[in-house]
Amino acid sequence: MFSSAYFLVLCFLISVDSGPSPRKPECSKRRVAESDVCASKLFVIGNRGSKIPRNTKEMNVYCGTVRNAGKCIRHYANQCLPPFPKQLSSILHRAVENSSAELCNTPQSQHEFMTRASCVNNGIESMNQCMEKYIDKLGQVKKADSRNKIAFVCCTSQTFRNCMEEELAKICVQDSYSYLHNMVMSYAREVLETLCGMYSGPGSKEKCDRLPALPPREGRSTRILSPYTPIMEIFSDY
């Protein structure tokens, strides 16, 4: 599910040496593009053409796709990423494993997910737009002053989460909304408490509003499919 990954990859759980870490030479542009495709398969949201599974056959395909995408990300990180983003990617992979185990391992959990999350399909296009705006903002964060990058990631991610929750509230009944909200918050809480500090919780919007303007958005020749690639690039500078 979308919430299992795109918040956890931000966690700041290790200490790193100051100064940028160079990307490993074997990490070609082709490998970066392949990792982006794999990461996009972790998300229903933003992955156009994908929907919440509606039956057991679709659920089995979804679970297999998520597991394979997680392995793809792990191999890419081990071969290509410098130490800090490699640790972030490892957190993502563990989240994928835990999420797929929780959702996929029993018929009961599969049925609950299909039943309670199916409302997402009714408003998936508006959620796709939330994701695309998030990816675009992360592209701008990549060019920001390094002193503000973590704050920008936190504030941009908070805006994204708010966008998603607003759309969920429009299309999902209370029971389903609570199920999905709790799923999001169980991961978001760890991020907000470990990485974001003053840029989470009460007063965070005002602090985010006081940040300098992001660098202007530039046009892209290719579409980035997931938040994974820009986040890994942002934290390669630490």
Side-chain angles (χ1 to χ4, degrees):
M1 177 52 184
F2 58 88
S3 60
S4 66
Y6 42 64
F7 293 111
L8 270 176
V9 296
L10 307 176
C11 289
F12 191 29
L13 298 182
I14 61 171
S15 298
V16 294
D17 294 334
S18 60
S21 299
R23 187 183 298 278
K24 295 182 180 180
E26 61 267 36
C27 190
S28 64
K29 290 183 179 180
R30 180 180 61 82
R31 289 297 308 278
V32 175
E34 288 173 354
S35 74
D36 187 43
V37 171
C38 288
S40 73
K41 294 178 180 178
L42 301 178
F43 310 113
V44 172
I45 306 305
N47 186 3
R48 293 186 181 276
S50 296
K51 291 190 173 183
I52 298 295
R54 295 161 293 186
N55 54 54
T56 301
K57 181 179 179 179
E58 290 182 1
M59 188 71 190
N60 289 335
V61 170
Y62 166 79
C63 291
T65 298
V66 168
R67 291 189 186 106
N68 288 335
K71 292 176 183 177
C72 170
I73 291 299
R74 182 186 64 194
H75 293 321
Y76 166 77
N78 287 340
Q79 294 177 0
C80 298
L81 293 180
F84 183 38
K86 181 179 176 180
Q87 289 293 323
L88 297 177
S89 188
S90 176
I91 294 167
L92 167 62
H93 183 249
R94 287 199 300 272
V96 171
E97 287 186 328
N98 292 338
S99 179
S100 61
E102 181 179 348
L103 297 177
C104 297
N105 282 2
T106 69
Q108 293 81 5
S109 61
Q110 290 186 18
H111 177 74
E112 181 180 29
F113 177 63
M114 288 186 289
T115 301
R116 301 178 78 174
S118 62
C119 57
V120 169
N121 292 333
N122 299 326
I124 199 163
E125 179 53 34
S126 61
M127 293 185 183
N128 286 338
Q129 292 175 16
C130 291
M131 176 67 88
E132 290 177 358
K133 290 177 183 177
Y134 180 43
I135 293 171
D136 286 344
K137 285 292 185 183
L138 289 172
Q140 293 174 259
V141 172
K142 286 195 305 182
K143 299 179 293 178
D145 188 310
S146 60
R147 292 171 296 181
N148 294 318
K149 281 187 177 180
I150 291 178
F152 275 131
V153 168
C154 293
C155 295
T156 301
S157 299
Q158 184 87 316
T159 299
F160 169 62
R161 195 192 77 188
N162 292 342
C163 182
M164 295 292 292
E165 292 197 337
E166 287 173 6
E167 297 305 323
L168 282 176
K170 295 175 185 177
I171 60 175
C172 294
V173 298
Q174 182 60 44
D175 184 55
S176 291
Y177 174 82
S178 298
Y179 172 80
L180 295 168
H181 175 79
N182 289 337
M183 188 179 289
V184 170
M185 286 307 299
S186 66
Y187 298 109
R189 188 175 297 110
E190 182 177 354
V191 174
L192 298 176
E193 290 177 357
T194 58
L195 172 64
C196 295
M198 65 182 291
Y199 293 99
S200 66
S204 58
K205 183 180 185 304
E206 291 76 12
K207 294 182 179 72
C208 289
D209 289 342
R210 290 196 291 270
L211 287 172
L214 279 169
R217 176 185 169 189
E218 295 179 357
R220 289 170 296 168
S221 58
T222 57
R223 177 76 205 175
I224 297 173
L225 302 176
S226 77
Y228 178 83
T229 300
I231 288 173
M232 293 302 109
E233 290 181 349
I234 288 166
F235 285 101
S236 290
D237 290 339
Y238 289 89

